[in-house]
Amino acid sequence: MSNAAETNLLLETLRETAHAALEDATALHPRLYRSQDIHQLELRNIFSRDWLCPGRAADIPEPGDYLTHSIVDQPIFVQRGNDDEIRAFANVCRHRMMKLLEGTGSCKRIVCPYHAWTYGLDGNLIGAPHMDRSKAFNKSKISLTPIRVDVWHGWIYVSLDPDAKPVSELLSDFPDFLDFYRMEDYVPVVTQDHVWQTNWKLLAENFIEGYHLPIAHRATVGAGYAADDIEFPENSFENFTLELFRKPPDAVVGNAHPDNTRLTGDWRNTSMLGVIFPCHLIVLAPDHLWYLSLRPKGVGEIHVRFGAALAPEVHATQSDPEAEREKMIALFDSVNAEDRFVVEGIFAGSGAPLTKPGPLSWLEHMLHDFAIYLDSRIGNGER
Ligand code: FES
Ligand SMILES: [Fe+2]
């Protein structure tokens, strides 16, 4: 079968899965996780267009603080300016294309490590040594290439699409309980970058189903996950999906701190598990949050950015913050290792010739929403 014929066939299977009722829905066709053509279509129609999350505004609290990320092949950095505005720029020097910044940090000006062209926090070139004899050089006409950036409930989003609607508009139908959690105030504890050997969709799907929690995470966060106490919103949404679940009072994490006056009643032990499409995956609990943000590195390899934060009253009342931080990192190292084990395992399974997609459980409701989203982005091939 030619590549084009195979891609069309795969997109047909995606459409069928997405349009089936949840009761009749199956997992996606295994080749959707393996095909180079589908991967290219996703890079074009999803990752070059939709909003992606490089981190939280709280990760760069002071003017000059920055973090780096990438959108498909475009390295970018996000930095807080002297006016407190968060800006994003192409992380490439306007002289001869050197990458400017690495990792995270803080600087009052951006100095290229190659020939020291220097940019202000607004992106404008403010200095370039030995350029006075170059007629082609006009300092006032050179600045870093801006990238679209938006902030929603404390999350930073970036996009290469000049026409992308603002995030707040795309997520305007997000339930208003976020106002009570105030996740924008959660205090960052850890951010890590990893590379896993899987397809990005497998990790996105893994994150948004609680079905595996009591099994794959029985040693960590799976304890106390009660399938009977899970709530899915009645409507489905175009740009995100979520579920709510409750933790028993003795659970290690997931209950509101006594000083938390924002959440009342059942909300005090309710967590949200969700995704802002395509791949910003969030668990928001009354006492903490954690998230993953995914970037495909190839069809079977992904960059995973992982971050965790604590509700402000939890952070403020810790008797030994460093020990607590170590404990939290150790817990999430274990959780991430448990997920890595399964998503690398299913990626291997997706390449096996006898693999066939099986039916979904009602607990995999959000996988069905994910299929609908995917179909909306790549179902018609070109957009
Ligand atoms: S490439 Fe940046 S100063 Fe030359
Ligand atoms: Fe998991």
Side-chain angles (χ1 to χ4, degrees), residues 93 95-98 112 114-117:
C93 184
H95 176 221
R96 277 178 40 223
M97 303 171 284
M98 179 62 189
C112 178
Y114 200 3
H115 313 95
W117 282 30

Side-chain angles (χ1 to χ4, degrees), residues 65-245:
D65 291 354
Y66 66 83
L67 53 87
T68 55
H69 198 66
S70 60
I71 309 176
V72 191
D73 293 330
Q74 177 62 57
I76 66 151
F77 70 92
V78 183
Q79 189 166 34
R80 192 178 288 268
N82 290 321
D83 54 1
D84 223 33
E85 276 299 301
I86 290 177
R87 296 183 179 81
F89 296 102
N91 191 7
V92 178
C93 184
R94 292 293 315 278
H95 176 221
R96 277 178 40 223
M97 303 171 284
M98 179 62 189
K99 194 169 176 191
L100 293 164
L101 296 171
E102 296 284 346
T104 58
S106 193
C107 58
K108 292 299 172 203
R109 50 192 54 189
I110 298 127
V111 183
C112 178
Y114 200 3
H115 313 95
W117 282 30
T118 300
Y119 305 87
L121 301 190
D122 55 5
N124 290 330
L125 184 67
I126 52 178
H130 308 298
M131 293 300 293
D132 45 321
R133 298 183 199 177
S134 309
K135 283 204 184 123
F137 177 75
N138 180 345
K139 192 169 82 178
S140 65
K141 291 226 160 85
I142 299 176
S143 55
L144 296 175
T145 306
I147 301 287
R148 283 198 69 195
V149 63
D150 208 347
V151 178
W152 178 81
H153 285 280
W155 298 101
I156 302 169
Y157 293 95
V158 288
S159 171
L160 288 184
D161 182 359
D163 300 321
K165 289 186 186 154
V167 177
S168 56
E169 194 177 320
L170 294 171
L171 302 180
S172 59
D173 46 0
F174 208 98
D176 56 9
F177 61 74
L178 290 186
D179 296 340
F180 304 115
Y181 282 82
R182 293 203 55 79
M183 63 178 164
E184 52 273 49
D185 295 338
Y186 283 31
V187 183
V189 174
V190 58
T191 308
Q192 297 172 348
D193 285 314
H194 299 278
V195 174
W196 292 5
Q197 307 304 312
T198 191
N199 181 271
W200 74 275
K201 298 187 293 299
L202 292 172
L203 181 48
E205 291 178 322
N206 169 71
F207 196 96
I208 56 176
E209 51 92 345
Y211 193 21
H212 76 281
L213 274 163
I215 321 300
H217 297 297
R218 61 185 164 278
T220 57
V221 289
Y225 183 84
D228 292 338
D229 210 0
I230 290 164
E231 240 180 84
F232 296 102
E234 277 173 23
N235 303 331
S236 55
F237 304 97
E238 205 181 326
N239 298 305
F240 66 91
T241 182
L242 61 89
E243 70 173 49
L244 298 175
F245 62 96

